[in-house]
Amino acid sequence: MALSGLDIYKLLPKTNCKECGVNTCMAFAMKVAAKKAQLSGCPYVSEEGKADFSKTRENQIKQVRFGPGSGVLTGGEKVLYRHEEAFYNKPVISVEVSCKEDINARVKKLLGIKLNILNKEETIDALTVNGEDSSLEDFKKCIEIIYSHKRLPLILKMNREDILDYVIKNLPDDKPLICFDNEDINSYIEKIKESKLPVAAFSEKALQLFIDNGVEDIVIAFTGNYKELDSARKLALKYKKNDLAYPVFVEVHDYLDCASYICRYASIINLPYAEPEFLLSLFNLRDNIYQDPRKPIQVEAKLYEIGNVDASSPVVITTNFSLTYFAVSSEVEASRIPAYLLIVDTGGTSVLSAWASDKINAGKINKALKESGIENKVSHRKMILPGYIYPVKEELDEVSGWESLIGPKEAKDLGLYLKSIQSKV
Amino acid sequence: MNNLELLKENNFPVAEVKFGKDKAIGGEKYFPFLNYDNEKCTKPLVAMEVFDRRYDNMPQALKSSIGEDTASDPVKWAEACEKEYGADAMLIRLLSLLEEGEEDKSLETVKRIKEAVNIPLIIWGAGSRKDTEVLTRAAQLLGGNNILIGPVNQNNVKLMAESSVNNDHGLIIETPLDINIAKQIALSLNNSGVDLNKMVIYPTSGSIGYGFEYAYSISERIRLAGFSGDKYLSLPLISMPGEVVWGLRETNEENPDWGDINKRAYIWEAVTALSYILSGSDIVVVRHPETVKVLKKKIDELSGG
């Protein structure tokens, strides 16, 4: 349980000396409780006080970065349920290729998968290179082929020393994640530690060895099932088992397993193969689960096109509350009638809320209408309003020069409504 | 205390609601597949839905699987769901009520489906003015049998409560992603004589990519509130991916970047459905036969075989 402002205040000198940069000790205590300041900002907290405070601080999964340049960030999670705060670092999705195969065509295809997810382009984040029992020559060739297409984060599976040496010497700047699954891990620990590369621990013994030897960036190579991963995360965060507070690398067989680990609690997921047929779903699910629930749930206020619109397409008006946008846009899509969707900025409030607080009115709709350029896109001058705001019609028609049609009150009736007005044209 | 002991929790169990002749949903003390008491997990049910009339504008991916012919005859469709596709339960969506004067025909269809299948039934309104009337008449017609009827919302609580008490069936509370409304309706039903073990909550479902996370988190929050003792939220959950995924681009449009639509579409439904199960759904309602197949297999695996 995190300490409250009052609990933190008890650890402070209560002199209001302002050395922490805040006017009073109470105000500083509140800031620390809200995670807007660090306790270390006060020079007068006793050692005991500091110890008490750190005992109650939430545990956190270690954050590990791997890959070239800024790479990808994994781990860093603090809560078991996204609504408690948020999930921070989306699970990295990687696909495995083997050094023993001719991978050029396969890598080209995999890296060519580009999917538009919620207005962003997403691709596979990393590749897992399986170099176990392969020759150094084959391994080198494999890396070269991949890099000839894209220099992306790599997860390197290996069990031979010559490959480990090669990677440490030649690829340090690319910070690949080293998966060195060798029984005799003891003999390699110095080398691994000095390389400063992120490593995966394949056993409790290896994990303990890494921790004891001060290896910083550790990832746990997880071989259990969904329930076991849930246990590991609960033990790490709820029961403060620090040796489990590391990002977890999971290998799955199919897309449903991948989905389950996106929901609970994988940091890196390795797929044996990938196709757009299931990546489309997985990327969408991942974005949804890792969406910060605290961010204002609104979409950009602008003109959206749904389907193949033309000059005769209907114009539908609504607010920029996310759920409103999703409900209305999916109804329009389902109707199969191409339409323009003009989203008015109401600060992320729903139609009724916006109406009640005057965040939507004739002036605002007219402004959005004129600024959107819709008048250059459609030959008609009719717009469909959400049913609840019908009183705005008279003023809106006058100020805009358009004719407002009173649409349904519920989004789910929009499909039928659009069909009915279409048949009247 | 060893680690496994630590993970055991003293959670208040979800109400157990009878469903069909010999099934029950609810009763759990943990999220699906995470039973740290190490008792046998109750498996979530995979239900399929049919309409009380033909499926108009059937998406390509469903056409190529179920077939337009089957989906034009509710009884044939329901039989296929049970016998060919392995549905654990069946939801009948009374879409014909969206047109005037179809009440009697709708009831007749419901009766015929009831006679044709053995799996537990859910009768679900279409959001029409005639919903409550037909739902309560259906309840009377089908009597006992532990069917589930819904939606119950703030407008029809009294009538639905009466029906449940008189005809002995379960009720599904619909809430627009609002935990307080769910509680209020449950309390209201309880005050009107309906036992808590006759109620299920439908938090409203969104598809992945279209507001899914709201429903997911609401489900988790309801579950957690129930586990910590809030008895009006300690009710089984139902989600309906089948209702929300089949009108989207991703399940209807050909797109070279997205691969084969016949695979992509049911996968979209399956991923949505499995994720709802993980957030606490005791029943998921879907449309594609392949979804049922892959979900049931995965549920078996996750339950430990």
Side-chain angles (χ1 to χ4, degrees), chain A residues 325-340:
Chain A
Y325 169 79
F326 285 130
V328 174
S329 63
S330 54
E331 278 302 315
V332 174
E333 284 202 35
S335 73
R336 298 269 154 274
I337 295 171
Y340 285 98

PDB file of all heavy atoms in Angstrom, chain A residues 325-340:
ATOM      1  N   TYR A 325     -17.402   8.475 -30.899  1.00  0.00           N
ATOM      2  CA  TYR A 325     -16.779   8.332 -32.211  1.00  0.00           C
ATOM      3  C   TYR A 325     -16.808   6.869 -32.658  1.00  0.00           C
ATOM      4  O   TYR A 325     -17.187   6.559 -33.787  1.00  0.00           O
ATOM      5  CB  TYR A 325     -15.338   8.854 -32.190  1.00  0.00           C
ATOM      6  CG  TYR A 325     -14.585   8.489 -33.442  1.00  0.00           C
ATOM      7  CD1 TYR A 325     -14.753   9.203 -34.624  1.00  0.00           C
ATOM      8  CD2 TYR A 325     -13.733   7.376 -33.455  1.00  0.00           C
ATOM      9  CE1 TYR A 325     -14.094   8.837 -35.783  1.00  0.00           C
ATOM     10  CE2 TYR A 325     -13.083   7.005 -34.618  1.00  0.00           C
ATOM     11  CZ  TYR A 325     -13.262   7.741 -35.778  1.00  0.00           C
ATOM     12  OH  TYR A 325     -12.615   7.354 -36.921  1.00  0.00           O
ATOM     13  N   PHE A 326     -16.413   5.956 -31.764  1.00  0.00           N
ATOM     14  CA  PHE A 326     -16.375   4.544 -32.141  1.00  0.00           C
ATOM     15  C   PHE A 326     -17.768   4.013 -32.457  1.00  0.00           C
ATOM     16  O   PHE A 326     -17.957   3.274 -33.416  1.00  0.00           O
ATOM     17  CB  PHE A 326     -15.762   3.693 -31.016  1.00  0.00           C
ATOM     18  CG  PHE A 326     -14.272   3.837 -30.923  1.00  0.00           C
ATOM     19  CD1 PHE A 326     -13.672   4.104 -29.702  1.00  0.00           C
ATOM     20  CD2 PHE A 326     -13.476   3.720 -32.049  1.00  0.00           C
ATOM     21  CE1 PHE A 326     -12.291   4.242 -29.618  1.00  0.00           C
ATOM     22  CE2 PHE A 326     -12.102   3.863 -31.973  1.00  0.00           C
ATOM     23  CZ  PHE A 326     -11.513   4.122 -30.748  1.00  0.00           C
ATOM     24  N   ALA A 327     -18.733   4.394 -31.620  1.00  0.00           N
ATOM     25  CA  ALA A 327     -20.090   3.892 -31.839  1.00  0.00           C
ATOM     26  C   ALA A 327     -20.622   4.382 -33.179  1.00  0.00           C
ATOM     27  O   ALA A 327     -21.124   3.601 -33.986  1.00  0.00           O
ATOM     28  CB  ALA A 327     -21.007   4.344 -30.710  1.00  0.00           C
ATOM     29  N   VAL A 328     -20.479   5.680 -33.420  1.00  0.00           N
ATOM     30  CA  VAL A 328     -21.025   6.247 -34.656  1.00  0.00           C
ATOM     31  C   VAL A 328     -20.262   5.750 -35.883  1.00  0.00           C
ATOM     32  O   VAL A 328     -20.864   5.330 -36.873  1.00  0.00           O
ATOM     33  CB  VAL A 328     -21.014   7.788 -34.580  1.00  0.00           C
ATOM     34  CG1 VAL A 328     -21.428   8.402 -35.911  1.00  0.00           C
ATOM     35  CG2 VAL A 328     -21.950   8.265 -33.474  1.00  0.00           C
ATOM     36  N   SER A 329     -18.939   5.758 -35.807  1.00  0.00           N
ATOM     37  CA  SER A 329     -18.176   5.344 -36.990  1.00  0.00           C
ATOM     38  C   SER A 329     -18.406   3.872 -37.307  1.00  0.00           C
ATOM     39  O   SER A 329     -18.512   3.503 -38.480  1.00  0.00           O
ATOM     40  CB  SER A 329     -16.677   5.631 -36.829  1.00  0.00           C
ATOM     41  OG  SER A 329     -16.143   4.889 -35.761  1.00  0.00           O
ATOM     42  N   SER A 330     -18.527   3.030 -36.302  1.00  0.00           N
ATOM     43  CA  SER A 330     -18.736   1.615 -36.621  1.00  0.00           C
ATOM     44  C   SER A 330     -20.148   1.378 -37.159  1.00  0.00           C
ATOM     45  O   SER A 330     -20.337   0.502 -37.996  1.00  0.00           O
ATOM     46  CB  SER A 330     -18.396   0.687 -35.463  1.00  0.00           C
ATOM     47  OG  SER A 330     -19.081   1.041 -34.305  1.00  0.00           O
ATOM     48  N   GLU A 331     -21.112   2.168 -36.723  1.00  0.00           N
ATOM     49  CA  GLU A 331     -22.458   2.054 -37.298  1.00  0.00           C
ATOM     50  C   GLU A 331     -22.466   2.474 -38.757  1.00  0.00           C
ATOM     51  O   GLU A 331     -23.098   1.841 -39.602  1.00  0.00           O
ATOM     52  CB  GLU A 331     -23.463   2.938 -36.532  1.00  0.00           C
ATOM     53  CG  GLU A 331     -23.998   2.308 -35.275  1.00  0.00           C
ATOM     54  CD  GLU A 331     -24.698   0.991 -35.515  1.00  0.00           C
ATOM     55  OE1 GLU A 331     -25.509   0.912 -36.466  1.00  0.00           O
ATOM     56  OE2 GLU A 331     -24.430   0.041 -34.779  1.00  0.00           O
ATOM     57  N   VAL A 332     -21.745   3.564 -39.050  1.00  0.00           N
ATOM     58  CA  VAL A 332     -21.690   4.024 -40.437  1.00  0.00           C
ATOM     59  C   VAL A 332     -21.009   2.963 -41.297  1.00  0.00           C
ATOM     60  O   VAL A 332     -21.474   2.625 -42.385  1.00  0.00           O
ATOM     61  CB  VAL A 332     -20.943   5.376 -40.534  1.00  0.00           C
ATOM     62  CG1 VAL A 332     -20.762   5.781 -41.986  1.00  0.00           C
ATOM     63  CG2 VAL A 332     -21.702   6.452 -39.779  1.00  0.00           C
ATOM     64  N   GLU A 333     -19.913   2.410 -40.775  1.00  0.00           N
ATOM     65  CA  GLU A 333     -19.208   1.354 -41.522  1.00  0.00           C
ATOM     66  C   GLU A 333     -20.120   0.177 -41.785  1.00  0.00           C
ATOM     67  O   GLU A 333     -20.164  -0.345 -42.887  1.00  0.00           O
ATOM     68  CB  GLU A 333     -17.998   0.875 -40.724  1.00  0.00           C
ATOM     69  CG  GLU A 333     -16.853   1.834 -40.773  1.00  0.00           C
ATOM     70  CD  GLU A 333     -15.525   1.181 -40.459  1.00  0.00           C
ATOM     71  OE1 GLU A 333     -15.326   0.007 -40.838  1.00  0.00           O
ATOM     72  OE2 GLU A 333     -14.692   1.850 -39.841  1.00  0.00           O
ATOM     73  N   ALA A 334     -20.829  -0.243 -40.762  1.00  0.00           N
ATOM     74  CA  ALA A 334     -21.697  -1.414 -40.888  1.00  0.00           C
ATOM     75  C   ALA A 334     -22.821  -1.175 -41.884  1.00  0.00           C
ATOM     76  O   ALA A 334     -23.298  -2.104 -42.523  1.00  0.00           O
ATOM     77  CB  ALA A 334     -22.286  -1.778 -39.523  1.00  0.00           C
ATOM     78  N   SER A 335     -23.227   0.084 -42.035  1.00  0.00           N
ATOM     79  CA  SER A 335     -24.331   0.385 -42.948  1.00  0.00           C
ATOM     80  C   SER A 335     -23.895   0.249 -44.398  1.00  0.00           C
ATOM     81  O   SER A 335     -24.718   0.163 -45.295  1.00  0.00           O
ATOM     82  CB  SER A 335     -24.839   1.814 -42.717  1.00  0.00           C
ATOM     83  OG  SER A 335     -23.888   2.739 -43.241  1.00  0.00           O
ATOM     84  N   ARG A 336     -22.558   0.266 -44.617  1.00  0.00           N
ATOM     85  CA  ARG A 336     -22.004   0.187 -45.970  1.00  0.00           C
ATOM     86  C   ARG A 336     -22.351   1.407 -46.811  1.00  0.00           C
ATOM     87  O   ARG A 336     -22.238   1.364 -48.040  1.00  0.00           O
ATOM     88  CB  ARG A 336     -22.514  -1.078 -46.705  1.00  0.00           C
ATOM     89  CG  ARG A 336     -22.111  -2.349 -46.025  1.00  0.00           C
ATOM     90  CD  ARG A 336     -20.802  -2.849 -46.559  1.00  0.00           C
ATOM     91  NE  ARG A 336     -20.074  -3.652 -45.621  1.00  0.00           N
ATOM     92  CZ  ARG A 336     -19.246  -3.198 -44.677  1.00  0.00           C
ATOM     93  NH1 ARG A 336     -19.039  -1.933 -44.498  1.00  0.00           N
ATOM     94  NH2 ARG A 336     -18.600  -4.010 -43.891  1.00  0.00           N
ATOM     95  N   ILE A 337     -22.827   2.469 -46.154  1.00  0.00           N
ATOM     96  CA  ILE A 337     -23.095   3.703 -46.897  1.00  0.00           C
ATOM     97  C   ILE A 337     -21.945   4.657 -46.624  1.00  0.00           C
ATOM     98  O   ILE A 337     -21.763   5.093 -45.479  1.00  0.00           O
ATOM     99  CB  ILE A 337     -24.435   4.326 -46.450  1.00  0.00           C
ATOM    100  CG1 ILE A 337     -25.584   3.375 -46.824  1.00  0.00           C
ATOM    101  CG2 ILE A 337     -24.637   5.704 -47.074  1.00  0.00           C
ATOM    102  CD1 ILE A 337     -26.915   3.779 -46.233  1.00  0.00           C
ATOM    103  N   PRO A 338     -21.143   4.992 -47.658  1.00  0.00           N
ATOM    104  CA  PRO A 338     -20.010   5.898 -47.420  1.00  0.00           C
ATOM    105  C   PRO A 338     -20.523   7.242 -46.910  1.00  0.00           C
ATOM    106  O   PRO A 338     -21.535   7.748 -47.403  1.00  0.00           O
ATOM    107  CB  PRO A 338     -19.372   6.055 -48.803  1.00  0.00           C
ATOM    108  CG  PRO A 338     -19.882   4.917 -49.607  1.00  0.00           C
ATOM    109  CD  PRO A 338     -21.219   4.562 -49.062  1.00  0.00           C
ATOM    110  N   ALA A 339     -19.842   7.782 -45.919  1.00  0.00           N
ATOM    111  CA  ALA A 339     -20.315   9.045 -45.345  1.00  0.00           C
ATOM    112  C   ALA A 339     -19.149   9.822 -44.781  1.00  0.00           C
ATOM    113  O   ALA A 339     -18.097   9.269 -44.449  1.00  0.00           O
ATOM    114  CB  ALA A 339     -21.334   8.773 -44.235  1.00  0.00           C
ATOM    115  N   TYR A 340     -19.327  11.126 -44.693  1.00  0.00           N
ATOM    116  CA  TYR A 340     -18.375  11.989 -44.007  1.00  0.00           C
ATOM    117  C   TYR A 340     -18.805  12.068 -42.548  1.00  0.00           C
ATOM    118  O   TYR A 340     -19.993  12.201 -42.253  1.00  0.00           O
ATOM    119  CB  TYR A 340     -18.396  13.398 -44.599  1.00  0.00           C
ATOM    120  CG  TYR A 340     -17.704  13.509 -45.934  1.00  0.00           C
ATOM    121  CD1 TYR A 340     -18.442  13.473 -47.117  1.00  0.00           C
ATOM    122  CD2 TYR A 340     -16.311  13.661 -46.016  1.00  0.00           C
ATOM    123  CE1 TYR A 340     -17.810  13.576 -48.345  1.00  0.00           C
ATOM    124  CE2 TYR A 340     -15.683  13.765 -47.245  1.00  0.00           C
ATOM    125  CZ  TYR A 340     -16.431  13.728 -48.412  1.00  0.00           C
ATOM    126  OH  TYR A 340     -15.807  13.830 -49.638  1.00  0.00           O
TER     127      TYR A 340
END
